[in-house]
Amino acid sequence: MRATFHLKTLTVAIATLSIASITNAAGLDRSGQDVTAFLQDGTYAEAVYTYIDADVSGYDSSNNDPLNNRYERGNKTGDIAESYDFFRYGVKTDINDTFSIGVLYDEPFGAAAEYKGDNNFVANTNPADSAGEFANDPAPNDPISGGTTAALKPAIIGAENSTAGENTKVEVRSENLTAILGMKLGADKNFQIYGGPVAQRVKSDVKLRGLAYGPATSYTSHISPDQDYGWLAGISYSKPEIALKAALTYRSEIDHSMNIYESYPLAPTLSGGALPSTQVTNMEITTPKSVNLDFQTGINPTMLATAKVRWVPWSDFSITPPLYNAASKNPVSRPDGLNLVDYEDDQWQVELGLAKRIAPALAVSGTVGWDSGAGDVTTSLGPIDGYYSVGLGAKYNVTPEWAVSAGGKYLWFGDAKGQLPTGKIVGDFQDNDGYILGVKLSYQGE
């Protein structure tokens, strides 16, 4: 006789796997843009809090010559990763046996990093003593300014003095609000198509300090919060007899046109007086599209297997502040200038899990995960090349409808070299790790 694993008997195990899953990934990816709250049966609501604490440390380069890309191990950077937290909310209900509606909130993209201590990512209080040997012989045209390294040295030291003691720091925050309408199809309502609009809000602050950034030292930018819109679409299939659910979800790119304040003390020097040292202007950013695959199936009446796969084309993403870009242009070697941030590769992320109901109101789960990263070398503002992870979770049903879940994940980060947009390697980051903790309150009714 064929075993049946009714979905309701496994509901206590389902949500344990998404507490701290698909989080802290390549590029600026953070939440994983999970939509599984909408895929639950009946009326469902959840509130999730996630806390990330990573240890990302390495060494700067003692080579401060902007014309020489050779990496020479220098001082320790200390831990540059700032602790980071965010919330996720979701609510969903069935209008009838065909139509469902839901609203999801998450914080999909972000970054939080700061360099401290005695290294070349901190504006030195006496830069003339730590600037190292700039080229003393007549140099070819500098790839940034068209001048020589020797001519830039006083200007770089002057910019260092103007921000003495300040740290390189980056903070990026985003928010998504997604409305979803789903329609079930087929005689048994096994298939569902769903979609809806997405409102996205983004803001950021960047400070580049220290001799590692050469002429870009003391650069500052502030992006005011900007809201723009995209969309989501997906298809799902369910077979309740074996607790099977599968969903494929596509999220569109979202184009932002935002105000940006920039301060670039050396811009007038680099441009021969053609550029200002500060300006407020408009910048275009396109946050990336993504595809998520969510799958689960019952193994036996008390055990559930899950798989999550996510793809994000970070190689298409860049941040190109106008003043930063204009100051980096060279009519011969770099007519289009530089991006402040870009990535070499697309991100692939995979997570596999098992959940086991060990008591009528208690379930536990475990996961293993892999993230490809977005390429090595990578930006000095986020020097991680993917990770491997293991996670544990538990869920306890306080009542048949209300449950509390908690989970944690440990991550081994891939080694990465921090690179400037000019191609110069300015840091080497190895043997780093981190952990993620999450708590969820959920409600599931008929």
Side-chain angles (χ1 to χ4, degrees):
M1 181 177 178
R2 184 183 177 189
T4 58
F5 313 140
H6 290 290
L7 192 62
K8 200 65 179 177
T9 68
L10 285 171
T11 187
V12 74
I14 289 173
T16 59
L17 296 158
S18 59
I19 297 296
S21 63
I22 308 294
T23 307
N24 201 71
L28 301 176
D29 214 19
R30 287 298 177 265
S31 74
Q33 298 182 296
D34 187 87
V35 299
T36 53
F38 180 75
L39 303 176
Q40 302 302 315
D41 290 334
T43 296
Y44 179 81
E46 67 177 23
V48 184
Y49 171 77
T50 303
Y51 174 84
I52 302 171
D53 193 345
D55 183 354
V56 180
S57 60
Y59 294 85
D60 68 9
S61 176
S62 60
N63 171 23
N64 293 312
D65 184 346
L67 290 180
N68 188 336
N69 286 351
R70 183 180 67 255
Y71 174 77
E72 298 175 357
R73 175 174 283 197
N75 295 334
K76 292 183 178 180
T77 65
D79 182 10
I80 73 167
E82 298 282 281
S83 60
Y84 191 94
D85 62 356
F86 58 87
F87 289 91
R88 186 175 84 237
Y89 307 101
V91 61
K92 172 262 178 187
T93 192
D94 295 330
I95 299 174
N96 51 40
D97 62 353
T98 299
F99 292 100
S100 302
I101 57 172
V103 177
L104 306 177
Y105 169 88
D106 73 327
E107 301 180 28
F109 308 120
E114 183 174 10
Y115 288 86
K116 300 175 183 178
D118 181 17
N119 58 72
N120 285 330
F121 299 97
V122 176
N124 200 286
T125 54
N126 193 355
D129 291 341
S130 61
E133 290 295 325
F134 286 75
N136 294 318
D137 298 329
N141 282 347
D142 180 79
I144 298 176
S145 67
T148 66
T149 307
L152 280 174
K153 180 177 179 180
I156 292 174
I157 291 175
E160 281 281 283
N161 279 324
S162 70
T163 55
E166 295 185 10
N167 304 325
T168 292
K169 185 174 184 178
V170 58
E171 183 172 12
V172 178
R173 286 279 187 175
S174 66
E175 299 172 285
N176 267 15
L177 187 64
T178 305
I180 306 179
L181 173 66
M183 182 174 68
K184 294 182 176 68
L185 306 171
D188 297 323
K189 306 295 185 181
N190 293 110
F191 289 93
Q192 180 178 215
I193 57 173
Y194 54 91
V198 180
Q200 185 177 89
R201 187 177 176 88
V202 178
K203 63 179 181 179
S204 78
D205 288 281
V206 174
K207 293 182 179 181
L208 305 183
R209 301 292 186 265
L211 294 168
Y213 294 102
T217 186
S218 303
Y219 173 82
T220 301
S221 69
H222 169 70
I223 296 177
S224 302
D226 176 79
Q227 181 169 302
D228 276 288
Y229 302 90
W231 52 274
L232 167 153
I235 184 170
S236 66
Y237 172 79
S238 66
K239 192 171 184 179
E241 309 93 82
I242 57 172
L244 186 150
K245 286 187 178 183
L248 187 66
T249 307
Y250 174 87
R251 285 182 180 267
S252 72
E253 297 178 336
I254 298 181
D255 297 323
H256 291 267
S257 180
M258 53 189 61
N259 292 327
I260 178 172
Y261 163 82
E262 295 179 86
S263 173
Y264 198 145
L266 267 66
T269 302
L270 299 175
S271 64
L275 295 173
S277 60
T278 63
Q279 71 175 28
V280 177
T281 187
N282 185 264
M283 180 176 71
E284 306 290 331
I285 288 181
T286 299
T287 55
K289 60 189 174 185
S290 64
V291 177
N292 281 22
L293 172 66
D294 295 279
F295 176 84
Q296 69 171 52
T297 188
I299 298 175
N300 60 47
T302 62
M303 185 174 290
L304 193 73
T306 67
K308 291 175 176 285
V309 180
R310 177 168 167 82
W311 172 77
V312 186
W314 284 107
S315 60
D316 296 337
F317 174 82
S318 64
I319 300 176
T320 312
L323 183 57
Y324 181 94
N325 175 260
S328 70
K329 288 181 178 179
N330 181 288
V332 177
S333 62
R334 196 159 42 236
D336 297 327
L338 295 169
N339 302 317
L340 177 62
V341 174
D342 55 26
Y343 300 97
E344 290 187 347
D345 299 332
D346 295 346
Q347 169 202 357
W348 283 94
Q349 195 176 59
V350 179
E351 187 169 86
L352 306 176
L354 286 174
K356 171 71 174 177
R357 181 162 58 89
I358 59 176
L362 178 64
V364 296
S365 65
T367 63
V368 293
W370 168 78
D371 186 289
S372 67
D376 179 30
V377 294
T378 187
T379 170
S380 63
L381 302 178
I384 294 173
D385 184 24
Y387 65 75
Y388 291 94
S389 70
V390 294
L392 294 173
K395 180 184 179 186
Y396 180 75
N397 272 62
V398 182
T399 71
E401 294 81 21
W402 288 94
V404 177
S405 306
K409 183 193 289 186
Y410 181 79
L411 306 99
W412 294 267
F413 296 127
D415 299 342
K417 292 181 174 62
Q419 183 183 57
L420 300 185
T422 60
K424 182 178 175 65
I425 304 297
V426 292
D428 187 19
F429 300 82
Q430 300 183 20
D431 302 323
N432 292 309
D433 57 8
Y435 66 87
I436 302 170
L437 301 175
V439 179
K440 175 191 287 187
L441 176 66
S442 60
Y443 170 88
Q444 186 157 28
E446 297 296 336

